[in-house]
Amino acid sequence: DAGVIQSPRHEVTEMGQEVTLRCKPISGHDYLFWYRQTMMRGLELLIYFNNNVPIDDSGMPEDRFSAKMPNASFSTLKIQPSEPRDSAVYFCASSFHGAPGTEAFFGQGTRLTVV
Amino acid sequence: EDQVTQSPEALRLQEGESSSLNCSYTVSGLRGLFWYRQDPGKGPEFLFTLYSAGEEKEKERLKATLTKKESFLHITAPKPEDSATYLCAVRHGSSNTGKLIFGQGTTLQVKP
């Protein structure tokens, strides 16, 4: 398996524009996580899905953020409208069964810069 | 509230100088403690999972241990290639919620 695949790797956009980040989890994994990483706050969990269903979105900072998982092999994180403070590295991760102790595998991340 | 705290924030070692990184946690119903390594510009890479107090795991120069309140990542005779940020995370919940919470990380620099 190629691992968790995220696209794009880098995104530069202007304030107010819509941004869509994409993730393909590892085949067979049933948990998918979206994280945001900044120097100040570290890795923050934004939302996670189990079997394509959102379980906990309490980490989503504002209504400008939304995430979907239309099927087991694809998820999106959308920011509309984007703001400079959204600049960060966004990671997607997936794991199997979410059973006790089952590790999550991370993608390479999308570095988002909002100017 | 569930919390994961790592110390120190940064650590500089000479090659061969052994040390330990700490991860303290407060969580209801621990269902796994994880150590990850993250290199600049990359996603975190899984190292170890520990399930219960007293458990230990080893990989090359790294050894992870777990108590009821904290975990240690011991680095024996480190090499420059061990330089990275080491992240600790916990999975918790009375039910199998799958939520994974990370600490802020310890950035390790090993000088030759």
Side-chain angles (χ1 to χ4, degrees):
Chain A
D1 201 315
V4 176
I5 299 173
Q6 292 187 245
S7 64
R9 289 294 311 277
H10 302 274
E11 177 81 38
V12 180
T13 190
E14 291 186 348
M15 182 174 63
Q17 296 297 305
E18 177 180 295
V19 176
T20 299
L21 311 181
R22 297 173 175 79
C23 175
K24 177 179 168 53
I26 293 173
S27 177
H29 281 191
D30 57 350
Y31 274 76
L32 184 139
F33 306 83
W34 281 102
Y35 287 88
R36 176 171 68 177
Q37 188 174 42
T38 61
M39 288 293 291
M40 290 295 294
R41 301 175 69 92
L43 261 174
E44 301 174 274
L45 178 63
L46 300 177
I47 184 172
Y48 75 97
F49 297 81
N50 178 214
N51 292 322
N52 313 338
V53 176
I55 302 299
D56 186 344
D57 65 355
S58 60
M60 297 286 260
E62 300 172 35
D63 291 344
R64 300 183 295 104
F65 286 70
S66 63
K68 293 183 180 180
M69 192 165 186
N71 57 61
S73 58
F74 184 66
S75 177
T76 59
L77 179 67
K78 187 176 292 187
I79 308 172
Q80 166 64 18
S82 58
E83 296 183 4
R85 59 194 167 120
D86 301 331
S87 297
V89 181
Y90 291 81
F91 287 103
C92 175
S94 69
S95 68
F96 178 60
H97 282 318
T102 303
E103 66 270 21
F105 294 88
F106 282 75
Q108 292 296 298
T110 295
R111 181 174 294 277
L112 173 64
T113 304
V114 183
V115 297
Chain B
E1 183 181 329
D2 299 329
Q3 206 163 16
V4 181
T5 304
Q6 291 187 245
S7 61
E9 288 187 16
L11 182 62
R12 298 174 74 175
L13 300 173
Q14 287 296 129
E15 183 172 1
E17 180 186 0
S18 301
S19 188
S20 297
L21 314 183
N22 177 263
C23 171
S24 298
Y25 63 91
T26 305
V27 66
S28 55
L30 181 71
R31 298 177 80 76
L33 184 139
F34 305 81
W35 282 98
Y36 284 81
R37 169 189 171 130
Q38 186 175 24
D39 292 297
K42 296 191 174 182
E45 177 185 344
F46 171 73
L47 292 173
F48 303 110
T49 308
L50 301 166
Y51 298 90
S52 54
E55 188 174 0
E56 298 183 353
K57 294 269 179 81
E58 283 189 71
K59 180 180 179 180
E60 297 181 353
R61 295 176 293 282
L62 301 177
K63 178 178 168 181
T65 62
L66 181 65
T67 72
K68 288 187 177 180
K69 294 183 179 181
E70 58 191 349
S71 177
F72 292 94
L73 184 65
H74 307 278
I75 304 177
T76 302
K79 297 182 178 181
E81 54 262 42
D82 294 323
S83 297
T85 296
Y86 291 86
L87 297 164
C88 165
V90 296
R91 205 156 203 171
H92 74 108
S94 55
S95 61
N96 190 11
T97 62
K99 193 168 184 175
L100 192 62
I101 305 296
F102 279 83
Q104 292 283 81
T106 294
T107 299
L108 172 66
Q109 184 180 30
V110 182
K111 292 196 165 185

